[in-house]
Amino acid sequence: METSILWHPGPLIDDAEITQVHELAAAAERADGVAPLSEQPLLNLREADDDVVHLLSWWRGSLAGYAQVDRRGPVPSGELVVRPEHRRHGLGFHLLASATARAQERHDGAPSGQEGGGPPAALHVWAHGDLPAARSLAARSGFVPVRELLVLARPLGGPDEHPFPDVPADLRPRTFVPGADDAAWVRTNARAFAQHPEQGRLTVDDLRARTREDWFDARGLYLLEEEGGGDPVGFVWTKIPDALDAPTGAPHPEGEIYVVGVDPDAQGRGLGRLLTAVGLAHLARAGVREAVLYVDGDNTAALRTYERAGFSRRTADVQYAAAPPGPTGR
């Protein structure tokens, strides 16, 4: 197949383009059993600035392949998807090569990930589900695994099996109030995830973009506050993607412990375990049959918490980056 890749920065041009990206991603998910694009790239279709680049390849009026490069962090990240019927013709290889080139500079011409001098940071690309085709493309392109994001799951019974846990007397759980709690949540999230390459840099605008999504329900975002006031010391955010589509009272096949965050100054008090139990209780009361969550494979403390809560590994997403050059002989 003849490959032609068009690219442009910023949000996609119109709703028709956005619809085609969603349809392409849905076709790939039906074929592969895993969504090829994660939440942030989908939000970037409308919300992005010029440091997000969209790469599109068309075939007879249909979107055959799509890739996105986000150059806003210290390390540029990317995701890509090829329509199933257009695979095995080199389109994925060419999309990845083009995305790598786009990652090398910001929209102002400066090297990506660099404030001044030195080589630009290498593109990191997510492979959701780490499918064999993705591993093959990575190997052909000289990319190696650099990060693993585990998908954990556990079955849920009814509310009687997952009661709302007892909370220490000096703490008060309550649900999030959009608008009034935005800035405080962002501050707590930034402290809780200061070392996290994506979660820790969320802004108020990023939060509000998520609250505009169809799945958002403020009743599923719990803040944990100390009696003396101040910013929350922790929070648990749940997500039920199909909640609006299901009849009232109908069970939901799957719900997510979307984020659990604890302020570093409050760690060591078992709040991660407490907040996870709060999230599971909320999902059980909502009729969710299975809970899922995502956690970095090297986050041993969080993994212990979730394993104690009954979670086990379902699958993994793997992030790849170009292999560093080997030693040169003399």
Side-chain angles (χ1 to χ4, degrees):
M1 123 182 225
E2 184 179 346
T3 301
S4 177
I5 299 172
L6 306 177
W7 64 272
H8 63 78
L12 286 184
I13 295 170
D14 55 33
D15 287 344
E17 276 194 345
I18 293 172
T19 297
Q20 290 232 33
V21 173
H22 280 282
E23 290 175 346
L24 168 58
E29 183 173 3
R30 288 192 297 270
D32 302 329
V34 61
L37 301 176
S38 56
E39 179 183 65
Q40 189 60 55
L42 292 175
L43 289 171
N44 288 344
L45 300 179
R46 292 187 186 277
E47 306 286 343
D49 60 25
D50 282 350
D51 267 324
V52 172
V53 180
H54 308 272
L55 302 95
L56 306 100
S57 181
W58 304 88
W59 176 252
R60 296 178 178 174
S62 175
L63 187 62
Y66 171 79
Q68 184 182 119
V69 177
D70 189 338
R71 304 177 294 194
R72 293 175 294 187
V75 175
S77 64
E79 302 191 15
L80 65 87
V81 54
V82 175
R83 191 176 293 277
E85 58 265 36
H86 293 301
R87 295 172 181 174
R88 295 178 294 278
H89 299 289
L91 179 54
F93 179 80
H94 289 292
L95 273 171
L96 181 55
S98 185
T100 300
R102 302 284 74 76
Q104 299 303 299
E105 61 182 19
R106 299 196 307 262
H107 72 271
D108 59 6
S112 173
Q114 299 290 321
E115 294 299 326
L123 175 67
H124 287 47
V125 181
W126 281 106
H128 299 290
D130 196 29
L131 302 172
R135 294 196 295 270
S136 176
L137 172 60
R140 181 184 175 195
S141 303
F143 279 60
V144 296
V146 294
R147 182 180 168 196
E148 184 180 51
L149 188 65
L150 302 180
V151 184
L152 308 184
R154 63 148 299 161
L156 285 181
D160 292 343
E161 297 181 40
H162 302 280
F164 202 92
D166 294 331
V167 177
D170 60 337
L171 295 174
R172 180 174 70 98
R174 66 172 178 86
T175 53
F176 177 82
V177 179
D181 290 327
D182 294 4
W185 181 88
V186 168
R187 288 192 296 267
T188 299
N189 178 75
R191 290 192 295 270
F193 294 99
Q195 305 304 316
H196 195 279
E198 295 98 16
Q199 184 70 26
R201 60 186 176 95
L202 293 185
T203 65
V204 169
D205 286 343
D206 293 325
L207 168 64
R208 290 175 179 167
R210 284 158 175 77
T211 64
R212 290 192 293 270
E213 290 293 292
D214 290 342
W215 59 262
F216 176 73
D217 183 351
R219 296 171 297 180
L221 172 48
Y222 290 83
L223 308 180
L224 193 60
E225 299 176 323
E226 293 182 312
E227 288 295 339
D231 288 350
V233 295
F235 62 88
V236 57
W237 192 346
T238 62
K239 177 179 180 181
I240 306 175
D242 67 340
L244 291 181
D245 299 328
T248 302
H252 305 291
E254 185 174 285
E256 183 179 341
I257 301 290
Y258 183 52
V259 193
V260 176
V262 176
D263 189 295
D265 291 341
Q267 289 179 355
R269 297 163 59 181
L271 299 188
R273 182 171 62 253
L274 171 66
L275 288 163
T276 301
V278 169
L280 291 175
H282 174 81
L283 293 175
R285 285 190 298 185
V288 168
R289 297 304 191 201
E290 184 173 40
V292 299
L293 59 81
Y294 295 78
V295 60
D296 274 289
D298 60 358
N299 190 341
T300 54
L303 283 169
R304 282 197 298 269
T305 295
Y306 297 138
E307 287 168 357
R308 289 170 183 164
F311 284 89
S312 59
R313 176 170 172 158
R314 174 195 282 181
T315 184
D317 297 340
V318 175
Q319 192 177 58
Y320 289 86
T328 57
R330 294 199 296 176

